[in-house]
Structures are given as C-alpha cells and as structure tokens.
C-alpha cells in the first residue's frame, strides 16, 4: 500500500526507514522522501512512527485465538 503518493513510498519502505533509525517525520523525509511533497501523508507517517516507537500492549498478542 502506498503511504506517500508524491514520493511513491509504500508502507514496507516506510517501515524500513523507521527500522533504519528514522525517528521523526523529517528524518523519514530525508531517508525516503515521504512527507516532502504535498504533506498529505504526514499524519500517516506520524502513526507509523508512533507505532514503532511506542508499541501498544496489543502488539505482543497472537493474531488468532
């Protein structure tokens, strides 16, 4: 799924940038270009950053019962 249409950045590419050390929207933009065009994806980038930096307790639960 594309997160940033302007820079053609997918969710897996965005996760790779974050896994590679990007911790802010600006660092993500420097790493892959997401958020540097129209800015429409910045909210989505923030969600990915928050999930990576502060995972919820639900992240450790099994996917099925």
């Amino acid at each position: 799924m594309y997160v940033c249409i302007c820079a053609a950045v997918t969710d897996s590419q965005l996760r790779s940038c974050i896994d590679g050390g990007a911790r802010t929207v600006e660092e993500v933009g420097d790493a892959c270009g997401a958020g540097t065009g129209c800015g429409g994806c910045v909210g989505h980038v923030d969600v990915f950053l928050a999930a990576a930096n502060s995972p919820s307790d639900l992240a450790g639960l099994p996917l099925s019962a």
Side-chain angles (χ1 to χ4, degrees), residues 5-34:
I5 300 300
C6 295
V9 178
T10 64
D11 57 331
S12 59
Q13 291 171 311
L14 180 56
R15 283 190 193 97
S16 292
C17 290
I18 294 169
D19 290 344
R23 294 293 176 256
T24 65
V25 173
E26 291 78 16
E27 289 175 355
V28 167
D30 290 342
C32 65

Side-chain angles (χ1 to χ4, degrees), residues 18-61:
I18 294 169
D19 290 344
R23 294 293 176 256
T24 65
V25 173
E26 291 78 16
E27 289 175 355
V28 167
D30 290 342
C32 65
T36 61
C38 74
C41 65
V42 170
H44 296 293
V45 173
D46 275 336
V47 169
F48 277 83
L49 286 166
N53 294 320
S54 301
S56 73
D57 292 335
L58 296 176
L61 295 177

